[in-house]
Amino acid sequence: MNRTLAPRSAVVRARVVCRAQQQASGDMPASFFCPNTKKPCPKCPRGGCRPCARNGVAPTLHKNAVEKEASQASQKAASSSELKLQSAPAAGLMALSLGGVNPFLNFLQGQADYFSTLNLPAGLIKYGHPGNMAVVLLAMGGYGALYLGWQIRLADNVEMRRKAMDLHPKLAGGMAVFFLLGSMGGMMSLLMQNENPFHSGHFTSGVLGLLALSLQAMLPLFFEDDPNARNFHAYFGTGVMALFFIHAALGVQLALSI
């Protein structure tokens, strides 16, 4: 029995050493490796890949390992192709978005094209939006939101406080509505002047202001549960109005730069 195993082990050693030599010389792909150690077969004059030779593993296992590796590589390539196919719609939508194919932008551009056909005065196109928003900011914002809001907290006159409590939410809410509508008018104005409405500090400050104004409008819902909500509403609202005055200054700067 030992005589039978000895020649077989020697044959395995010889074949493994041959494979190691071929790999070292570049005649064999580097993907041939030992299925036991998971490492490339080393060039060793004492028997090459010892675990394979000692255990009597046939050299064909090396071939099977390579076939398994090739199969794994094929599966990986297939999954990569599937991933690319799945991501194609997202890439297409991103390309469309970057290309400006946006329903909202298309709507604004359509309105701008229509008003451009009316031959409106250039001064109205350029300064109509700033003028309207200045009135809203000073009347509804400065008086209704800021002044009357603080009168609710500071006024000693009961009648004045009652009036402020009645007008403050109405004028502040109207300011928010006119700001939202005015933002679309401002973007249309810039489109009519062949300007990009989204690349300016005026646009960024406007978006931040509308978001802050939305948060400010929700704070009264917590007045009864949290007394600190009133204080936060007053001071945060003052900061929001300061942001809108900065927004107005950036708008004047933008209008003068066109």
Side-chain angles (χ1 to χ4, degrees):
M1 182 175 181
N2 293 337
R3 294 178 181 178
T4 305
L5 292 177
R8 179 182 178 185
S9 178
V11 171
V12 170
R13 286 194 185 93
R15 291 182 178 178
V16 171
V17 171
C18 179
R19 287 181 179 274
Q21 292 175 347
Q22 290 177 351
Q23 181 180 350
S25 63
D27 296 335
M28 179 172 287
S31 56
F32 278 84
F33 59 92
C34 172
N36 292 330
T37 62
K38 305 301 181 182
K39 297 179 180 179
C41 294
K43 179 181 179 182
C44 178
R46 298 173 58 184
C49 188
R50 292 185 180 183
C52 292
R54 183 172 58 251
N55 298 329
V57 179
T60 54
L61 285 179
H62 293 272
K63 180 179 179 182
N64 293 340
V66 175
E67 292 177 350
K68 181 179 180 181
E69 182 184 356
S71 176
Q72 292 176 349
S74 177
Q75 293 176 358
K76 184 177 179 180
S79 62
S80 177
S81 300
E82 183 178 359
L83 178 61
K84 291 180 179 179
L85 290 176
Q86 292 177 351
S87 62
L93 291 177
M94 182 178 295
L96 291 176
S97 177
L98 293 176
V101 182
N102 184 294
F104 179 67
L105 182 58
N106 287 340
F107 169 76
L108 290 179
Q109 186 63 61
Q111 298 300 313
D113 294 340
Y114 168 74
F115 282 102
S116 296
T117 61
L118 301 181
N119 296 322
L120 298 175
L124 179 61
I125 296 175
K126 187 172 184 178
Y127 298 108
H129 168 75
N132 291 332
M133 292 299 98
V135 173
V136 174
L137 179 62
L138 295 176
M140 293 184 161
Y143 174 75
L146 191 59
Y147 174 75
L148 291 180
W150 280 101
Q151 286 300 308
I152 296 175
R153 298 172 59 88
L154 303 177
D156 296 329
N157 190 316
V158 177
E159 183 64 22
M160 180 62 190
R161 183 178 297 179
R162 185 193 63 80
K163 178 182 177 181
M165 293 179 65
D166 178 57
L167 291 178
H168 171 69
K170 295 177 181 178
L171 293 177
M175 178 193 69
V177 172
F178 280 110
F179 276 171
L180 181 60
L181 297 176
S183 64
M184 291 186 286
M187 287 185 283
M188 286 171 52
S189 173
L190 290 173
L191 289 173
M192 293 172 68
Q193 300 174 75
N194 298 320
E195 297 289 336
N196 191 328
F198 305 122
H199 293 172
S200 67
H202 182 66
F203 172 78
T204 304
S205 61
V207 172
L208 294 177
L210 290 175
L211 292 176
L213 199 59
S214 301
L215 175 61
Q216 175 75 350
M218 291 187 295
L219 289 176
L221 300 176
F222 306 97
F223 282 176
E224 295 182 0
D225 299 331
D226 188 359
N228 294 324
R230 289 183 178 273
N231 295 329
F232 183 75
H233 177 79
Y235 292 104
F236 183 71
T238 302
V240 172
M241 292 309 304
L243 176 59
F244 275 114
F245 277 102
I246 296 174
H247 172 70
L250 292 174
V252 173
Q253 182 182 8
L254 176 62
L256 295 177
S257 66
I258 298 176

